[in-house]
Amino acid sequence: MTVYRTFISRLLLNYAAGLLLAIIAVASLIAAAPLNISPSDYAWLNRILVLSLCCMLGLEWMVFTRQIKPIRSVFMEEVGSYQTLQNVYIRTHRLPSLAVKRILGPHLFGLVVPGAALSLGLIRTGHLSISPYYVLLAALSGILVSSMHALVEYYLTSYAIRPVLQELISWSRRMFGKDLSLHGRVIVPVSRKLIWSFSLMSMAPLLLYSLSMQFRIEDLDHGAYAYWQWAGYILAVSILFAVIGSRLLAREIMLPIQHLYERMSEVKTGSIRTAASDMFSDEFSRLITGFNHMLSGLQTQAARNSQLVDSYFATLAAALDARDPYTAGHSLRVAEYAVKIGELAQLPEERIDELRKSALLHDIGKIGIRDAVLLKEGRLTDEEWQQVKQHPVLGEAILKQVEPADAMAPYLPGVRSHHERYDGRGYPDGLDGEEIPLFGRIIAVADAFDAMTSDRPYRKGLARDRAIDILERGRGTQWDPYFAGLLVQHFRSETQKKESS
């Protein structure tokens, strides 16, 4: 609703500013013209101008409310369907073109035609003593200034609709899970914009000068100074229009180019999640549609690659666990617990995915441990225990062989440090506190919890409550107090919910 109110306010402000400048330009030109008319003629002309302006404003308000009605209904009423949003989205794109019709139509049929008709009627009845030729010149000047106003209004409206388009796209994604798009449809070609803009910006000063010159022909004997003073005013008005028009045209062309460049820069850095917004109704709409189609293909391929990588990690973890029937599923369970801790710690989604993969491979180094040691049911000798303690280092060494090396880099710290203790008495490096990598501290908690609650040949797994108590007592000594506390609190909260239900 705020977006809609701001949009309407901006449209009205743009129109008021353009209309005020147009009135000032026309009034100043008329005032500068050396028409030898009586005070009564000026009074009649003022009455005609006020009446025509009221007629024009009334007609324009009717057209404006009709043009804006479909957009208003979406913001004021409940959206019924995706197709409704799509129709309003296209209607919003058409609004700049409709603004041109809204300016030219009422200006012609509400201002120029009634004003000229009334003036000619008063001349015929004798109430006005000016030449009908001046009425024709004034009408042509009004049409020219209206065209200049319409061009400026087109580009201002084109810029003003962008927040509305963004809001409609956001609604569509949230309510229907679909994007709104013109699908390459061209409402106003760039060539037409350039032709009309350049034509009007180049011809308007000449036409304005020529029409104004007609008012001065009879008064050229007033001297060179008066002439150049008048000519300087006309030149200033023409230059101002050309500067404003060219700046608006440049912005109209540069906005979609800049938008596409920003999206392409994101793709270059590896981010392919954000599609380009289809907010442009010219040929750039086709470029954006093509870009988004390409991006969709990249996203599909990236999803398949990610699925393959996930399958690769899960297969490695399953192959490792298959060596010992008593540890079957251990890596998958540790990954689940680690992910839960990461979610409770509100880690970013990408970091949680890296944590899960690191947890899946945390024991990959045990592939290098002999079965006689790894699967031994009795107590390990000191030498055998030292071999087992090397599996984090072996795991890191194995993963370093995988190419590309930078793709595996996020998983190495967790694999190497998941047996470090918070008090510094762990292995292989004897790190303590937050010297231990983040993934290592999280996986250590998850690994210990699953080890305590799983059955082994030489003992039965502990009850979950008992394992939770051990985690609680080991906070700050064996395990990171924060991450161990998160898992303890989570399980105890689950227990309380079950008991209360």
Side-chain angles (χ1 to χ4, degrees), residues 30 59 68 118 154 177 199-200 227 350 442 455 461 499:
I30 294 175
L59 181 59
I68 212 73
L118 287 172
Y154 175 87
S199 298
L200 190 56
Y227 170 80
E350 291 183 3
I442 295 176
D455 294 334
E499 291 176 351

Side-chain angles (χ1 to χ4, degrees), residues 5-6 36 40 66 121 166 191 195 244 260 268 338 340 349 371 385 404 435-436 450 461 478 497:
R5 290 197 184 100
T6 304
N36 296 317
S40 63
R66 184 174 182 179
Q166 288 280 30
S191 59
I195 290 171
I244 293 175
L260 275 173
K268 285 170 62 178
K340 174 55 66 176
E349 184 178 342
D371 287 350
W385 177 237
E435 289 182 353
I436 305 171
D450 185 68
Q478 185 167 352
K497 288 180 182 179

Side-chain angles (χ1 to χ4, degrees), residues 444-469:
V445 176
D447 186 33
F449 182 79
D450 185 68
M452 287 188 287
T453 55
S454 299
D455 294 334
R456 292 291 185 268
Y458 48 86
R459 65 160 175 83
K460 185 174 176 60
L462 299 177
R464 191 170 75 167
D465 291 342
R466 173 65 176 152
I468 291 172
D469 290 338

Side-chain angles (χ1 to χ4, degrees), residues 375-444:
L375 305 180
K376 185 176 179 180
E377 296 186 3
R379 183 180 181 86
L380 297 177
T381 65
D382 290 343
E383 180 183 354
E384 291 169 339
W385 177 237
Q386 289 302 319
Q387 292 181 35
V388 172
K389 288 171 65 175
Q390 288 302 307
H391 79 270
V393 177
L394 290 173
E396 181 188 43
I398 291 171
L399 295 182
K400 281 184 176 180
Q401 306 305 311
V402 180
E403 295 292 342
D406 61 326
M408 300 302 296
Y411 317 123
L412 302 182
V415 171
R416 183 181 179 94
S417 64
H418 71 277
H419 277 297
E420 300 287 354
R421 287 173 54 109
Y422 201 76
D423 58 10
R425 296 166 57 191
Y427 61 89
D429 300 312
L431 303 177
D432 65 342
E434 295 192 5
E435 289 182 353
I436 305 171
L438 174 67
F439 287 180
R441 284 179 279 148
I442 295 176
I443 296 173

Side-chain angles (χ1 to χ4, degrees), residues 293-329:
H293 182 71
M294 177 196 71
L295 199 64
S296 177
L298 291 175
Q299 290 170 346
T300 301
Q301 189 61 44
R304 293 188 63 186
N305 291 340
S306 178
Q307 187 177 10
L308 286 172
V309 171
D310 287 347
S311 177
Y312 165 73
F313 276 70
T315 301
L316 281 178
L320 174 64
D321 291 346
R323 292 185 64 193
D324 182 359
Y326 287 99
T327 61

Side-chain angles (χ1 to χ4, degrees), residues 35 54 72 102 134 153 167 181 187 197 212 223 316 326 341 434 481:
L35 300 177
C54 291
R72 183 180 184 276
R102 187 185 78 232
Y134 287 135
E153 190 75 14
E167 187 74 3
S181 174
I187 295 177
S197 298
S212 301
L316 281 178
Y326 287 99
I341 295 172
E434 295 192 5

Side-chain angles (χ1 to χ4, degrees), residues 75 107 109 151 203 250 252 295 343 375 380 422 496 501:
F75 282 89
H107 278 60
F109 297 106
L151 178 67
M203 291 190 301
E252 181 77 5
L295 199 64
E343 292 172 346
L375 305 180
L380 297 177
Y422 201 76
Q496 290 175 358
S501 62

